[in-house]
Amino acid sequence: MQQKPALLARPGRPAIAYAADPGRGPTVAFFSGFMSDMTGKKVQDLAAFCQERGQAMLRFDYRAHGQSEGVFEETGLADWLEDALDCIDTTSGPLLLVGSSMGGWLMLLAALARKERVVGIVGIAAAPDFTEDLVWNLMTGADREKLMQDGVFPQPSAYSDQPYLITRKLIEDGRKNLLLNGPIALDCPVRLLHGMKDGDVPYKTSLRLAEKLTSGDATVTLIKDGDHRLSRDPDLAAIRKAVAELSGF
């Protein structure tokens, strides 16, 4: 049975909206993307899939996202990782982490922090290091100066009328958590899905990620006509297939 979102109260910190559906393990924990939440098409499809299979699932909104408390301009990657770990720690037993876009980066960081519990990883257009490679390095000098001076820079979004808010904290947090500059010590099975028409995160990011992972069981599936969202029916089927494969049933 799918649970309604509840608030995880944390003294002195914003409360986090989360939903933990009961079932057999491994628990599927979904990490949403930047400025996304647990109402998205991919997470909802996966929640329904887990319910059909009788598999436990955890979904949540980072602080300042969705139904969670918090002020967006005051948060960054380290805060969202803390939120994810707090939600994960409300569960027990093995975990299968699924991360979309920025959620793929947070998923990897969470897996490194909870290695003893993670039995598999599924990345959907995973975007580790995106703040440096795909934001900072592509900004003009004038835009960088404005970001550092104002603390926030509005970047147009292809998915919303509202711009993405790039904060100085996001960039600085990102630099403290870069992963692609060396080996990523994760040895569990990994499945990475990426659209070759992704206009936001180049599919070569997933190829680079696979190279950096120490796992000997890491595969990359390139979807030739897939975009960044990977939310069409065939894309969703591919995600479900990867989850089922790594779940072991």
Side-chain angles (χ1 to χ4, degrees):
M1 178 180 178
Q2 288 191 31
Q3 301 296 307
K4 292 183 179 180
L7 283 178
L8 178 63
R10 306 179 303 173
R13 294 177 295 157
I16 298 301
Y18 77 107
D21 301 335
R24 65 187 294 190
T27 298
V28 175
F30 193 95
F31 292 65
S32 300
F34 184 61
M35 295 186 73
S36 296
D37 58 43
M38 59 177 157
T39 65
K41 189 172 182 179
K42 289 188 289 292
V43 64
Q44 290 298 314
D45 181 81
L46 198 53
F49 178 65
C50 288
Q51 183 179 25
E52 291 171 5
R53 288 161 49 82
Q55 185 167 9
M57 182 173 180
L58 171 70
R59 52 201 187 277
F60 49 86
D61 293 337
Y62 316 118
R63 72 185 74 178
H65 286 68
Q67 300 175 58
S68 291
E69 297 177 351
V71 179
F72 190 87
E73 290 82 355
E74 298 174 359
T75 63
L77 201 75
D79 300 306
W80 300 330
L81 175 60
E82 181 181 69
D83 300 339
L85 292 175
D86 283 348
C87 289
I88 282 174
D89 289 344
T90 66
T91 71
S92 59
L95 293 165
L96 173 56
L97 307 186
V98 182
S100 175
S101 193
M102 181 191 76
W105 188 2
L106 290 168
M107 165 191 72
L108 294 165
L109 293 170
L112 289 167
R114 299 290 185 270
K115 281 186 185 181
E116 71 283 356
R117 294 186 60 194
V118 177
V119 298
I121 289 173
V122 177
I124 308 165
D129 301 8
F130 86 93
T131 53
E132 197 71 10
D133 296 341
L134 304 177
V135 179
W136 182 260
N137 288 348
L138 300 182
M139 294 179 79
T140 66
D143 288 346
R144 288 179 180 175
E145 184 176 347
K146 179 175 176 59
L147 169 60
M148 298 308 291
Q149 183 176 31
D150 297 346
V152 63
F153 181 82
Q155 187 175 72
S157 166
Y159 309 107
S160 171
D161 294 335
Q162 299 299 317
Y164 282 161
L165 297 179
I166 305 300
T167 65
R168 182 171 59 215
K169 179 172 174 54
L170 179 66
I171 298 297
E172 292 173 346
D173 268 8
R175 288 195 179 128
K176 297 173 184 176
N177 290 282
L178 298 176
L179 291 176
L180 296 177
N181 293 329
I184 303 172
L186 292 172
D187 297 318
C188 61
V190 179
R191 301 292 179 265
L192 303 173
L193 289 73
H194 216 124
M196 295 184 74
K197 291 187 177 180
D198 190 331
D200 298 292
V201 181
Y203 70 84
K204 291 183 179 178
T205 301
S206 282
L207 299 176
R208 188 178 171 199
L209 172 57
E211 290 176 346
K212 297 297 183 180
L213 289 162
T214 57
S215 173
D217 183 8
T219 64
V220 180
T221 298
L222 297 179
I223 301 172
K224 191 169 185 178
D225 61 347
D227 61 12
H228 184 61
R229 287 188 170 183
L230 289 183
S231 58
R232 303 167 304 171
D233 288 346
D235 305 328
L236 298 174
I239 295 168
R240 294 193 298 266
K241 180 181 177 182
V243 168
E245 178 187 351
L246 295 190
S247 296
F249 71 96

